[in-house]
PDB file of all heavy atoms in Angstrom:
ATOM      1  N   TYR A 302      41.183-125.057 116.998  1.00 92.00           N
ATOM      2  CA  TYR A 302      41.900-124.559 115.809  1.00 92.00           C
ATOM      3  C   TYR A 302      43.407-124.756 115.802  1.00 92.00           C
ATOM      4  O   TYR A 302      44.056-124.368 114.833  1.00 92.00           O
ATOM      5  CB  TYR A 302      41.648-123.056 115.633  1.00 92.00           C
ATOM      6  CG  TYR A 302      40.198-122.700 115.507  1.00 92.00           C
ATOM      7  CD1 TYR A 302      39.546-121.997 116.519  1.00 92.00           C
ATOM      8  CD2 TYR A 302      39.469-123.056 114.387  1.00 92.00           C
ATOM      9  CE1 TYR A 302      38.209-121.663 116.410  1.00 92.00           C
ATOM     10  CE2 TYR A 302      38.139-122.729 114.269  1.00 92.00           C
ATOM     11  CZ  TYR A 302      37.515-122.039 115.288  1.00 92.00           C
ATOM     12  OH  TYR A 302      36.191-121.719 115.172  1.00 92.00           O
ATOM     13  N   TYR A 309      38.967-128.891 114.504  1.00 89.00           N
ATOM     14  CA  TYR A 309      38.593-128.591 113.120  1.00 89.00           C
ATOM     15  C   TYR A 309      39.774-128.715 112.167  1.00 89.00           C
ATOM     16  O   TYR A 309      39.593-128.950 110.981  1.00 89.00           O
ATOM     17  CB  TYR A 309      37.985-127.183 113.007  1.00 89.00           C
ATOM     18  CG  TYR A 309      36.588-127.116 113.551  1.00 89.00           C
ATOM     19  CD1 TYR A 309      36.246-126.211 114.546  1.00 89.00           C
ATOM     20  CD2 TYR A 309      35.598-127.964 113.079  1.00 89.00           C
ATOM     21  CE1 TYR A 309      34.965-126.164 115.055  1.00 89.00           C
ATOM     22  CE2 TYR A 309      34.314-127.937 113.585  1.00 89.00           C
ATOM     23  CZ  TYR A 309      34.004-127.036 114.563  1.00 89.00           C
ATOM     24  OH  TYR A 309      32.730-126.996 115.066  1.00 89.00           O
ATOM     25  N   PHE A 316      31.727-135.379 110.604  1.00 69.00           N
ATOM     26  CA  PHE A 316      30.295-135.519 110.367  1.00 69.00           C
ATOM     27  C   PHE A 316      29.930-136.964 110.012  1.00 69.00           C
ATOM     28  O   PHE A 316      30.767-137.729 109.555  1.00 69.00           O
ATOM     29  CB  PHE A 316      29.871-134.614 109.203  1.00 69.00           C
ATOM     30  CG  PHE A 316      30.346-133.192 109.373  1.00 69.00           C
ATOM     31  CD1 PHE A 316      31.511-132.761 108.758  1.00 69.00           C
ATOM     32  CD2 PHE A 316      29.643-132.300 110.157  1.00 69.00           C
ATOM     33  CE1 PHE A 316      31.957-131.448 108.919  1.00 69.00           C
ATOM     34  CE2 PHE A 316      30.077-130.995 110.323  1.00 69.00           C
ATOM     35  CZ  PHE A 316      31.231-130.571 109.704  1.00 69.00           C
ATOM     36  N   TYR A 322      28.756-135.967 114.812  1.00 66.00           N
ATOM     37  CA  TYR A 322      27.366-135.508 114.753  1.00 66.00           C
ATOM     38  C   TYR A 322      26.932-135.307 113.310  1.00 66.00           C
ATOM     39  O   TYR A 322      27.752-135.343 112.396  1.00 66.00           O
ATOM     40  CB  TYR A 322      27.168-134.195 115.530  1.00 66.00           C
ATOM     41  CG  TYR A 322      28.158-133.108 115.165  1.00 66.00           C
ATOM     42  CD1 TYR A 322      27.935-132.247 114.103  1.00 66.00           C
ATOM     43  CD2 TYR A 322      29.325-132.944 115.895  1.00 66.00           C
ATOM     44  CE1 TYR A 322      28.848-131.252 113.768  1.00 66.00           C
ATOM     45  CE2 TYR A 322      30.246-131.960 115.576  1.00 66.00           C
ATOM     46  CZ  TYR A 322      30.003-131.117 114.510  1.00 66.00           C
ATOM     47  OH  TYR A 322      30.917-130.143 114.180  1.00 66.00           O
ATOM     48  N   THR A 324      24.519-132.606 110.846  1.00 72.00           N
ATOM     49  CA  THR A 324      23.887-131.282 110.827  1.00 72.00           C
ATOM     50  C   THR A 324      22.694-131.357 109.854  1.00 72.00           C
ATOM     51  O   THR A 324      22.558-132.350 109.130  1.00 72.00           O
ATOM     52  CB  THR A 324      24.879-130.200 110.351  1.00 72.00           C
ATOM     53  OG1 THR A 324      25.384-130.589 109.079  1.00 72.00           O
ATOM     54  CG2 THR A 324      26.035-130.039 111.335  1.00 72.00           C
ATOM     55  N   PRO A 326      22.000-130.171 106.897  1.00 71.00           N
ATOM     56  CA  PRO A 326      22.212-130.513 105.489  1.00 71.00           C
ATOM     57  C   PRO A 326      22.335-132.021 105.249  1.00 71.00           C
ATOM     58  O   PRO A 326      22.129-132.499 104.138  1.00 71.00           O
ATOM     59  CB  PRO A 326      23.522-129.811 105.135  1.00 71.00           C
ATOM     60  CG  PRO A 326      23.623-128.691 106.108  1.00 71.00           C
ATOM     61  CD  PRO A 326      22.967-129.180 107.369  1.00 71.00           C
ATOM     62  N   TYR A 327      22.659-132.791 106.302  1.00 70.00           N
ATOM     63  CA  TYR A 327      22.786-134.245 106.138  1.00 70.00           C
ATOM     64  C   TYR A 327      21.433-134.937 106.212  1.00 70.00           C
ATOM     65  O   TYR A 327      21.320-136.093 105.840  1.00 70.00           O
ATOM     66  CB  TYR A 327      23.696-134.833 107.232  1.00 70.00           C
ATOM     67  CG  TYR A 327      25.134-134.440 107.051  1.00 70.00           C
ATOM     68  CD1 TYR A 327      25.568-133.187 107.440  1.00 70.00           C
ATOM     69  CD2 TYR A 327      26.049-135.304 106.454  1.00 70.00           C
ATOM     70  CE1 TYR A 327      26.875-132.783 107.241  1.00 70.00           C
ATOM     71  CE2 TYR A 327      27.364-134.924 106.258  1.00 70.00           C
ATOM     72  CZ  TYR A 327      27.763-133.657 106.651  1.00 70.00           C
ATOM     73  OH  TYR A 327      29.054-133.260 106.442  1.00 70.00           O
ATOM     74  N   GLU A 357      29.240-118.656 101.919  1.00 98.00           N
ATOM     75  CA  GLU A 357      28.840-119.603 102.972  1.00 98.00           C
ATOM     76  C   GLU A 357      29.939-119.687 104.034  1.00 98.00           C
ATOM     77  O   GLU A 357      31.086-120.033 103.742  1.00 98.00           O
ATOM     78  CB  GLU A 357      28.587-121.000 102.379  1.00 98.00           C
ATOM     79  CG  GLU A 357      28.129-121.966 103.471  1.00 98.00           C
ATOM     80  CD  GLU A 357      27.790-123.369 102.974  1.00 98.00           C
ATOM     81  OE1 GLU A 357      27.863-123.638 101.760  1.00 98.00           O
ATOM     82  OE2 GLU A 357      27.472-124.208 103.848  1.00 98.00           O
ATOM     83  N   LEU A 358      29.570-119.379 105.279  1.00 98.00           N
ATOM     84  CA  LEU A 358      30.545-119.403 106.378  1.00 98.00           C
ATOM     85  C   LEU A 358      30.587-120.794 106.995  1.00 98.00           C
ATOM     86  O   LEU A 358      29.541-121.368 107.300  1.00 98.00           O
ATOM     87  CB  LEU A 358      30.144-118.392 107.462  1.00 98.00           C
ATOM     88  CG  LEU A 358      29.902-116.946 107.008  1.00 98.00           C
ATOM     89  CD1 LEU A 358      29.416-116.083 108.188  1.00 98.00           C
ATOM     90  CD2 LEU A 358      31.168-116.348 106.422  1.00 98.00           C
ATOM     91  N   GLY A 359      31.788-121.347 107.191  1.00 95.00           N
ATOM     92  CA  GLY A 359      31.927-122.651 107.851  1.00 95.00           C
ATOM     93  C   GLY A 359      31.269-123.767 107.062  1.00 95.00           C
ATOM     94  O   GLY A 359      30.317-124.390 107.531  1.00 95.00           O
ATOM     95  N   VAL A 360      31.790-124.055 105.867  1.00 94.00           N
ATOM     96  CA  VAL A 360      31.086-124.984 104.960  1.00 94.00           C
ATOM     97  C   VAL A 360      31.170-126.446 105.372  1.00 94.00           C
ATOM     98  O   VAL A 360      30.354-127.250 104.946  1.00 94.00           O
ATOM     99  CB  VAL A 360      31.610-124.883 103.496  1.00 94.00           C
ATOM    100  CG1 VAL A 360      31.252-123.547 102.897  1.00 94.00           C
ATOM    101  CG2 VAL A 360      33.091-125.129 103.422  1.00 94.00           C
ATOM    102  N   GLY A 361      32.179-126.797 106.191  1.00 89.00           N
ATOM    103  CA  GLY A 361      32.323-128.221 106.550  1.00 89.00           C
ATOM    104  C   GLY A 361      32.570-129.055 105.309  1.00 89.00           C
ATOM    105  O   GLY A 361      33.399-128.722 104.465  1.00 89.00           O
ATOM    106  N   VAL A 389      33.642-120.474 102.706  1.00 97.00           N
ATOM    107  CA  VAL A 389      34.627-119.972 103.670  1.00 97.00           C
ATOM    108  C   VAL A 389      34.851-121.022 104.760  1.00 97.00           C
ATOM    109  O   VAL A 389      33.901-121.500 105.363  1.00 97.00           O
ATOM    110  CB  VAL A 389      34.147-118.642 104.313  1.00 97.00           C
ATOM    111  CG1 VAL A 389      35.150-118.146 105.342  1.00 97.00           C
ATOM    112  CG2 VAL A 389      33.907-117.588 103.243  1.00 97.00           C
ATOM    113  N   GLU A 390      36.086-121.394 104.936  1.00 93.00           N
ATOM    114  CA  GLU A 390      36.454-122.333 106.004  1.00 93.00           C
ATOM    115  C   GLU A 390      37.571-121.713 106.842  1.00 93.00           C
ATOM    116  O   GLU A 390      38.027-120.604 106.555  1.00 93.00           O
ATOM    117  CB  GLU A 390      36.919-123.677 105.407  1.00 93.00           C
ATOM    118  CG  GLU A 390      35.931-124.817 105.610  1.00 93.00           C
ATOM    119  CD  GLU A 390      35.565-125.076 107.070  1.00 93.00           C
ATOM    120  OE1 GLU A 390      36.450-124.975 107.948  1.00 93.00           O
ATOM    121  OE2 GLU A 390      34.390-125.361 107.367  1.00 93.00           O
ATOM    122  N   VAL A 391      38.022-122.412 107.863  1.00 89.00           N
ATOM    123  CA  VAL A 391      39.094-121.913 108.715  1.00 89.00           C
ATOM    124  C   VAL A 391      40.289-121.548 107.821  1.00 89.00           C
ATOM    125  O   VAL A 391      40.690-122.335 106.966  1.00 89.00           O
ATOM    126  CB  VAL A 391      39.529-123.003 109.728  1.00 89.00           C
ATOM    127  CG1 VAL A 391      40.691-122.524 110.594  1.00 89.00           C
ATOM    128  CG2 VAL A 391      38.345-123.412 110.588  1.00 89.00           C
ATOM    129  N   ASN A 406      25.226-122.372 108.376  1.00 95.00           N
ATOM    130  CA  ASN A 406      24.515-123.341 109.204  1.00 95.00           C
ATOM    131  C   ASN A 406      25.500-123.850 110.250  1.00 95.00           C
ATOM    132  O   ASN A 406      26.550-124.404 109.904  1.00 95.00           O
ATOM    133  CB  ASN A 406      24.014-124.517 108.345  1.00 95.00           C
ATOM    134  CG  ASN A 406      23.197-125.495 109.156  1.00 95.00           C
ATOM    135  OD1 ASN A 406      22.141-125.147 109.669  1.00 95.00           O
ATOM    136  ND2 ASN A 406      23.694-126.710 109.309  1.00 95.00           N
ATOM    137  N   GLU A 407      25.191-123.604 111.510  1.00 94.00           N
ATOM    138  CA  GLU A 407      26.061-124.032 112.614  1.00 94.00           C
ATOM    139  C   GLU A 407      27.488-123.528 112.453  1.00 94.00           C
ATOM    140  O   GLU A 407      28.443-124.291 112.563  1.00 94.00           O
ATOM    141  CB  GLU A 407      26.054-125.552 112.756  1.00 94.00           C
ATOM    142  CG  GLU A 407      24.696-126.091 113.182  1.00 94.00           C
ATOM    143  CD  GLU A 407      24.789-127.498 113.737  1.00 94.00           C
ATOM    144  OE1 GLU A 407      25.753-127.780 114.453  1.00 94.00           O
ATOM    145  OE2 GLU A 407      23.888-128.293 113.447  1.00 94.00           O
ATOM    146  N   PHE A 408      27.631-122.256 112.172  1.00 97.00           N
ATOM    147  CA  PHE A 408      28.958-121.639 112.117  1.00 97.00           C
ATOM    148  C   PHE A 408      29.229-120.852 113.396  1.00 97.00           C
ATOM    149  O   PHE A 408      30.233-121.064 114.072  1.00 97.00           O
ATOM    150  CB  PHE A 408      29.055-120.713 110.889  1.00 97.00           C
ATOM    151  CG  PHE A 408      30.216-119.768 110.949  1.00 97.00           C
ATOM    152  CD1 PHE A 408      31.514-120.223 110.729  1.00 97.00           C
ATOM    153  CD2 PHE A 408      30.030-118.413 111.238  1.00 97.00           C
ATOM    154  CE1 PHE A 408      32.599-119.352 110.803  1.00 97.00           C
ATOM    155  CE2 PHE A 408      31.107-117.544 111.307  1.00 97.00           C
ATOM    156  CZ  PHE A 408      32.389-118.015 111.088  1.00 97.00           C
ATOM    157  N   ASP A 410      28.020-120.977 116.305  1.00 96.00           N
ATOM    158  CA  ASP A 410      28.077-121.725 117.577  1.00 96.00           C
ATOM    159  C   ASP A 410      29.436-122.418 117.751  1.00 96.00           C
ATOM    160  O   ASP A 410      29.732-122.963 118.809  1.00 96.00           O
ATOM    161  CB  ASP A 410      26.931-122.737 117.690  1.00 96.00           C
ATOM    162  CG  ASP A 410      27.097-123.961 116.803  1.00 96.00           C
ATOM    163  OD1 ASP A 410      27.886-123.897 115.838  1.00 96.00           O
ATOM    164  OD2 ASP A 410      26.440-124.985 117.059  1.00 96.00           O
ATOM    165  N   ALA A 411      30.253-122.400 116.682  1.00 94.00           N
ATOM    166  CA  ALA A 411      31.557-123.057 116.771  1.00 94.00           C
ATOM    167  C   ALA A 411      32.662-122.065 117.162  1.00 94.00           C
ATOM    168  O   ALA A 411      33.805-122.466 117.379  1.00 94.00           O
ATOM    169  CB  ALA A 411      31.896-123.690 115.413  1.00 94.00           C
ATOM    170  N   LEU A 412      32.331-120.780 117.232  1.00 96.00           N
ATOM    171  CA  LEU A 412      33.387-119.796 117.515  1.00 96.00           C
ATOM    172  C   LEU A 412      33.742-119.815 119.004  1.00 96.00           C
ATOM    173  O   LEU A 412      32.859-119.946 119.853  1.00 96.00           O
ATOM    174  CB  LEU A 412      32.917-118.396 117.104  1.00 96.00           C
ATOM    175  CG  LEU A 412      32.564-118.233 115.614  1.00 96.00           C
ATOM    176  CD1 LEU A 412      32.075-116.816 115.336  1.00 96.00           C
ATOM    177  CD2 LEU A 412      33.767-118.565 114.727  1.00 96.00           C
ATOM    178  N   ASP A 528      34.078-131.737 119.490  1.00 92.00           N
ATOM    179  CA  ASP A 528      33.652-130.396 119.131  1.00 92.00           C
ATOM    180  C   ASP A 528      33.194-129.680 120.400  1.00 92.00           C
ATOM    181  O   ASP A 528      32.659-130.312 121.319  1.00 92.00           O
ATOM    182  CB  ASP A 528      32.489-130.478 118.131  1.00 92.00           C
ATOM    183  CG  ASP A 528      32.262-129.159 117.421  1.00 92.00           C
ATOM    184  OD1 ASP A 528      33.118-128.254 117.558  1.00 92.00           O
ATOM    185  OD2 ASP A 528      31.242-129.029 116.714  1.00 92.00           O
TER     186      ASP A 528
HETATM  187  C1  SAM B 242      29.437-127.396 113.087  1.00 54.30           C
HETATM  188  S1  SAM B 242      30.335-127.314 111.610  1.00 54.30           S
HETATM  189  C2  SAM B 242      29.077-126.963 110.418  1.00 54.30           C
HETATM  190  C3  SAM B 242      29.458-127.338 109.025  1.00 54.30           C
HETATM  191  C4  SAM B 242      28.395-127.148 107.944  1.00 54.30           C
HETATM  192  N1  SAM B 242      27.980-125.774 107.857  1.00 54.30           N
HETATM  193  C5  SAM B 242      27.192-128.060 108.180  1.00 54.30           C
HETATM  194  O1  SAM B 242      26.113-127.539 108.479  1.00 54.30           O
HETATM  195  O2  SAM B 242      27.332-129.268 108.069  1.00 54.30           O
HETATM  196  C6  SAM B 242      31.188-125.781 111.790  1.00 54.30           C
HETATM  197  C7  SAM B 242      32.104-125.482 110.622  1.00 54.30           C
HETATM  198  O3  SAM B 242      32.607-124.155 110.768  1.00 54.30           O
HETATM  199  C8  SAM B 242      33.986-124.154 110.464  1.00 54.30           C
HETATM  200  N2  SAM B 242      34.584-123.035 111.175  1.00 54.30           N
HETATM  201  C9  SAM B 242      34.728-122.929 112.506  1.00 54.30           C
HETATM  202  N3  SAM B 242      35.343-121.758 112.799  1.00 54.30           N
HETATM  203  C10 SAM B 242      35.566-121.145 111.629  1.00 54.30           C
HETATM  204  C11 SAM B 242      36.156-119.896 111.284  1.00 54.30           C
HETATM  205  N4  SAM B 242      36.650-119.096 112.225  1.00 54.30           N
HETATM  206  N5  SAM B 242      36.207-119.537 109.983  1.00 54.30           N
HETATM  207  C12 SAM B 242      35.690-120.359 109.026  1.00 54.30           C
HETATM  208  N6  SAM B 242      35.131-121.574 109.295  1.00 54.30           N
HETATM  209  C13 SAM B 242      35.072-121.938 110.584  1.00 54.30           C
HETATM  210  C14 SAM B 242      34.475-125.505 110.960  1.00 54.30           C
HETATM  211  O4  SAM B 242      35.681-125.914 110.347  1.00 54.30           O
HETATM  212  C15 SAM B 242      33.308-126.418 110.565  1.00 54.30           C
HETATM  213  O5  SAM B 242      33.445-126.920 109.269  1.00 54.30           O
END
Side-chain angles (χ1 to χ4, degrees):
Y302 302 111
Y309 286 124
F316 309 97
Y322 51 86
T324 56
Y327 290 79
E357 182 177 358
L358 306 176
V360 293
V389 178
E390 252 304 322
V391 178
N406 184 63
E407 294 198 39
F408 164 74
D410 74 341
L412 300 178
D528 196 10

